[in-house]
């Protein structure tokens, strides 16, 4: 096997050769001045990606899940109440993490395929006259269902209820692929990772934390050591880490931020929209349905697609891998066996997306799906031809 096929899972994503080279580094002294020269600008430049001026950017050796844990353990105490809606596997896992940390988690159950229910948050917060709810937790892009939520509307819900709950947002699968505006949306903690829009290997939790959220660390009594904001910020001020940093990923992140800067962040979003739109045209041509209920919820970084009644999406993704050596995302949680997912984020071009659509079509034809071979590819081709970058 040559191993040159792109992957179409929603993280980790395809790594450009230039980034793989940037991550191929010899061990160097992380207390020497040349590490500081790389690292300090990385923390600064990350602020542009989060669209924040005021927040503090923090990097931990971890993954997105560790980012959730850092956000909670630094700002919460056992028994603190948080409000969160469950509408997919990732919001579900964040709930689980909060519960295991002993928080009082108030859950609004939503149909999978819908997004953050701003109006229900507003109703609940209005009733919470004593400000018992410490934070509202929202998954910006629910990677299990391909749903993007309206974070601005959630901020407006909190403000309209005159509530002082903080807003924590998981932007693991949206940062650097879809517009995210930390300051404008009043986000207090934004949590991401290295292996999705940032096109790197997994291994970094990347956060941006507001002054208000940092102030909460003083009263928060959950234990944290490795994930301590204070320890990390103090070490960062001296130009380093409180422990040995993953040098290769920091070099990679430095290079990734340059790639994004060269393309232009808004152009990165436009490219993701175009790529996603081509996929959506293909889905329409097959006569299939997206898990996302309405167009305003469509994600530009991942599409979750129902297979027709009587078909098993796991069989489809397994077959595609076994016969064609191409990976697609499986259905997660309530979507298990009912839907497959196409990850279309990161370092991706029209040509790569077309190859993915062509491959999944071959697999569907092999398994006697009711589609016409080439129909989805053709629809996407038309879209890409008529909407050049
Ligand atoms: C990928 C992902 C995560 C975190 O996953 P890790 O495997 O821990 O990096 C969290 N939330 C969302 C929405 C994700 O897509």
């Amino acid at each position: 096997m040559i191993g040159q096929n792109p992957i179409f899972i929603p993280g980790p994503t395809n790594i450009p050769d230039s980034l793989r080279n940037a991550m191929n580094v010899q061990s160097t002294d992380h207390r020497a001045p040349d590490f500081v020269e790389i690292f300090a600008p990385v923390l600064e430049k990350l602020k542009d990606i989060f669209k924040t001026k005021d927040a503090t950017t923090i990097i931990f050796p971890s993954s997105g899940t560790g980012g959730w844990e850092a956000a909670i353990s630094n700002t919460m105490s056992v028994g603190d109440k948080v409000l969160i809606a469950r509408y997919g596997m990732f919001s579900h896992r964040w709930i689980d993490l909060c519960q295991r940390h002993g928080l009082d988690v108030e859950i609004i159950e939503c149909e999978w395929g819908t997004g953050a229910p701003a109006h229900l948050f507003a109703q609940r917060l209005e009733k919470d006259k004593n400000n018992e709810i410490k934070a509202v937790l929202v998954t910006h892009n629910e990677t299990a269902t391909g749903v993007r939520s309206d974070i601005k509307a959630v901020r407006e819900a909190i403000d309209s209820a005159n509530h002082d709950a903080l807003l924590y947002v998981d932007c693991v699968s949206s940062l650097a692929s879809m517009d995210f505006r930390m300051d404008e949306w009043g986000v207090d903690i934004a949590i991401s990772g290295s292996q999705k829009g940032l096109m790197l290997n997994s291994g970094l939790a990347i956060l941006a934390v507001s002054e208000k959220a940092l102030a909460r660390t003083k009263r928060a009594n959950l234990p944290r050591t490795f994930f301590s904001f204070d320890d990390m910020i103090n070490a960062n001020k001296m130009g380093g880490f409180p422990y040995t940093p993953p040098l290769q990923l920091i070099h990679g992140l430095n290079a990734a931020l340059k790639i994004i800067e060269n393309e232009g962040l808004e152009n990165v979003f436009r490219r993701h929209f175009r790529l996603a739109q081509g996929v959506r045209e293909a889905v329409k041509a097959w006569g299939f349905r997206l898990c996302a209920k309405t167009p305003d919820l469509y994600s530009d970084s991942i599409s979750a697609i129902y297979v027709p009644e009587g078909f098993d999406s796991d069989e489809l993704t397994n077959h595609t891998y076994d016969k064609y050596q191409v990976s697609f995302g499986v259905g997660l949680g309530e979507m298990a066996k009912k839907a497959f997912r196409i990850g279309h984020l990161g370092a991706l071009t029209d040509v790569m997306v077309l190859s993915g659509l062509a491959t999944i079509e071959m697999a569907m034809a092999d398994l006697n799906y009711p589609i016409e071979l080439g129909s989805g590819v053709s629809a996407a081709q038309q879209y890409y031809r008529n909407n050049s970058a």
Side-chain angles (χ1 to χ4, degrees), residues 368-388:
N368 299 314
Y369 275 58
I371 60 141
E372 190 188 330
L373 195 66
S375 58
V377 171
S378 169
Q381 285 171 321
Q382 289 297 358
Y383 182 81
Y384 294 146
R385 285 177 62 230
N386 296 331
N387 296 273
S388 48

Side-chain angles (χ1 to χ4, degrees), residues 63-65 68 90 139 141 143 170 172-173 195-196:
S63 73
T65 306
W68 288 338
F90 289 88
T139 303
N141 187 67
T143 317
D170 170 340
V172 179
S173 61
Q195 79 276 23
K196 299 196 180 173

Side-chain angles (χ1 to χ4, degrees), residues 108-324:
I108 299 178
E109 298 291 349
C110 300
E111 197 181 347
W112 288 34
T114 64
H119 60 293
L120 297 180
F121 285 146
Q123 276 173 21
R124 179 63 190 92
L125 291 168
E126 269 157 30
K127 288 199 202 114
D128 185 40
K129 295 295 180 210
N130 298 329
N131 283 311
E132 277 173 18
I133 294 168
K134 301 292 176 223
V136 178
L137 278 42
V138 183
T139 303
H140 184 205
N141 187 67
E142 178 46 82
T143 317
T145 56
V147 163
R148 166 175 34 185
S149 284
D150 186 347
I151 302 301
K152 183 163 174 266
V154 176
R155 166 44 66 193
E156 287 166 359
I158 297 171
D159 292 348
S160 75
N162 247 323
H163 203 286
D164 71 0
L166 299 188
L167 174 59
Y168 295 1
V169 178
D170 170 340
C171 56
V172 179
S173 61
S174 54
L175 192 76
S177 58
M178 291 186 281
D179 198 10
F180 184 82
R181 305 181 183 192
M182 173 138 189
D183 286 356
E184 194 183 316
W185 297 343
V187 175
D188 290 292
I189 303 189
I191 301 151
S192 197
S194 50
Q195 79 276 23
K196 299 196 180 173
L198 292 168
M199 308 171 282
L200 300 168
N201 290 114
S202 63
L204 296 179
I206 301 171
L207 297 94
V209 185
S210 75
E211 281 300 320
K212 251 161 88 190
L214 282 179
R216 295 264 172 113
T217 60
K218 295 195 173 56
R219 58 162 281 278
N221 71 11
L222 280 172
R224 64 270 182 181
T225 306
F226 188 78
F227 286 131
S228 164
F229 284 170
D230 285 346
D231 290 358
M232 184 56 82
I233 289 169
N234 287 333
N236 287 174
K237 278 185 194 143
M238 312 297 290
F241 257 63
Y243 35 71
T244 318
L247 279 176
Q248 76 289 13
L249 282 162
I250 288 165
H251 281 274
L253 185 53
N254 184 39
L257 294 172
K258 281 188 186 141
I259 291 183
I260 292 168
E261 198 179 335
N262 284 342
E263 185 176 353
L265 189 58
E266 303 305 316
N267 290 332
V268 170
F269 301 151
R270 276 184 212 112
R271 175 168 54 82
H272 280 84
F273 172 78
R274 285 185 59 256
L275 294 174
Q277 206 50 30
V279 171
R280 292 190 279 258
E281 290 296 322
V283 172
K284 213 190 301 168
W286 295 329
F288 292 0
R289 207 158 47 85
L290 290 164
C291 296
K293 299 265 177 219
T294 49
D296 57 305
L297 298 171
Y298 290 170
S299 162
D300 291 339
S301 62
I302 173 250
S303 296
I305 301 154
Y306 284 114
V307 296
E309 260 333 288
F311 290 84
D312 175 346
S313 60
D314 279 354
E315 197 183 339
L316 176 65
T317 48
N318 286 338
H319 177 77
T320 312
Y321 185 77
D322 291 342
K323 187 162 175 193
Y324 303 108

Side-chain angles (χ1 to χ4, degrees), residues 4-23:
Q4 291 274 17
N5 290 337
I7 45 171
F8 295 95
I9 57 174
T13 60
N14 300 284
I15 306 175
D17 288 342
S18 64
L19 290 188
R20 287 173 59 181
N21 290 334
M23 287 189 280

